[in-house]
Amino acid sequence: MKQPSRHGIIAGLSAALAGALCLTAVPGAFAADSPDVSTLSVHGGAQRIANTPATGKAKNVILFIGDGMGDSEITIARDYLYGPGGSFEGLDKIGQPGATSAKETGTGQYTTYATGDGSGRRNQVMAVTDSAASGSGWATGTKTYNNAVSVDNNFNPQMNLIELAKAKGLATGNVTTAEIQDATPAVLESHSTQRSCYGPQGKTDGSSDDSAKRCDVAQLKQNGGIGSISEQLLDTRADVTFGGGSKYFNQTAQAGEYQGMTLKDQAKARGYQYVEDPAQLGSLSEADQSSPVLGLFAAGNLPTQYNESKTYDGETAQEIALKGQQDGNASLQTCTANPDWLGNKRASLADMTNKAIDLLSANKNGKDNGYFLQVEGASIDKQDHNANACGQIGETDDLDKAISAALKKVDLSNTLIIVTADHAHTSQLASWPSMYALNTPLRAKDGTAMYVMYGTASSQNGSQSHTGTQLRIAASGPGASRVDGLTDQTDNFFTIAKTLRLASSTEDINALSSGAKVSVKDGVAQVTGFNGDAVLGYQLQDTETGAVLAASNDDTPVSGVRVATGATTTIDFNGVKGFDPSGSTYTLTVTGKQSGTKIATEFGLTGNGASNVVVAPKTAAKAGLGDATENGGITGALVGALGKTGTRILGMVMVALALAVAGSLLAAWRRGLFARK
């Protein structure tokens, strides 16, 4: 057989190397299947731009969320209010180069799927998300199941943006037109396995108790858990909280220091400026950790700007449309103002946003370190569910005005504004009423006819459905370009955290608890510095006998003691059987259940909690790989990495193989194994 010549060998090597290098030079050359749910559901596992750095540093970030505000909802509201060629005052400026003073802008789309449906089918990718799973995604960077509030698929609490911002000394705010316990605001103030766990007595006004139905019973404080969403809100202690849901603060604490006290009275006892009258919004002049503001301006959700519109079945809607053609569209509906809308009392979403920015900017932490603020226009979704076109249009307009108000107040050289949604919804703008759906024939501002169609509920009174389409995300200010292209909802967490220089990787978040301290005085433990944890466990032992006198309930991830975010968490041992600090020596071990950090403190006859010993801090995972025990050990961690950056790694492997082959062939040639000419 004829041996290859030296020139042939060199030509073959060149071709092999060129092919391998082409693979690395075009990272998008291959389509990629979705990683499996075990990869997607770990912290950061669903990122699409994990290796994209933040391009700027912001002092402040404001995140605007239009709940249920898909492209259709934006278009319907714009067309009705301003005409197809018109523009929103705020919504359409964000992300548009030259529309504001921002030097950096970005516009893209993002994916919104969940990793379970909340009814027992966890660990299964669900194409359509609810507000709880989607909000948890941008709040924590962790994909999770529908119904989850900032917990992962295994019910483990995940640190959220308000907690991480407070750990860095930023001021924080949370504004919504929904009940403040609703999913989107709740993901920043609590950790709950069920989104309906509004209070210690469930989702009631305090006159009854359905907590067993609405809550994981292990989460309730009377069962040794971290408490309901409302109770955790008081522990998270954002500087500014505005919304509805005051009736749930009529519920009574069932355990703990404030047992028997309503949550409203508890808030006041804990130093909150608690207000329910929207007329008081304008008079608020300060808000900080010593005196945070909790403004709950309605018993439930806040009233919408427009009254409810009427929907018609296909045949009736078509009759109205035909009549509209004959009378110049005079018979078509026009949206009417709702006299109960809080904008009439100077407490619209724009008013609340204005006040929140003022309070956070004047706050010492806000002045020195900056702030993070989330603002939600909540009832775009709620009215879309109700097939209420005018309701959702008014709520979109309300959000637009809030964005416009913010643009007039902030400096986009040091403030990043992001505008997006949590999921898309069902409304469609159609050229003619459908025979197979509910329809709302409207007469737009310019006098033209427009037909809004709802086709995802089986009956007139059925709730319309979310849809799973990707969503618009736009940003203006430092770091804005990171939203360009196609990203995922969890990427939004990393964009915000990196732009504010917050801890975002598992390793860095765990490290926030490295300065934890525990002391005991008069039988009460004072726990500080567990800033990388949402939940604590503890064990109190008699040092001499080794007997365990008290311990936290650690049965579930939501059992234990809720961390008072960025403040002192107290654990009272007075009344524990056998506990007498004047007569014995005790060892208290406190464990951060997210970071794994353990602190042991001796007190009693030897002193009053003077010794803090780090027992066994958890070895933090390498950023992006997860714990070595996840997904079947180191191999599983590497599989996770391949799932996220498979094309790049494949290219590197091809280069390595090509170089190895080249080395072998050249060595063989030098040894004379091939003919030389």
Side-chain angles (χ1 to χ4, degrees), residues 118-138:
S119 62
R121 288 190 297 171
R122 291 179 294 116
N123 297 310
Q124 177 180 339
V125 175
M126 306 299 294
V128 182
T129 186
D130 76 347
S131 295
S134 60
S136 297
W138 77 69

Side-chain angles (χ1 to χ4, degrees), residues 575-618:
V576 170
K577 185 177 180 180
F579 177 63
D580 179 11
S582 64
S584 188
T585 302
Y586 300 92
T587 300
L588 173 63
T589 304
V590 178
T591 304
K593 294 180 72 172
Q594 282 63 58
S595 70
T597 300
K598 292 185 179 182
I599 303 294
T601 299
E602 262 195 0
F603 67 98
L605 291 177
T606 62
N608 230 342
S611 60
N612 280 275
V613 180
V614 178
V615 178
K618 182 179 180 180

Side-chain angles (χ1 to χ4, degrees), residues 33 125 187 254 259 281 287 315 336 387 394 456 492 634 651 664:
D33 289 340
V125 175
V187 297
Q254 303 297 298
Q259 183 174 358
L281 177 67
E315 185 175 356
T336 59
T456 60
N492 202 12
I634 295 296
S664 298

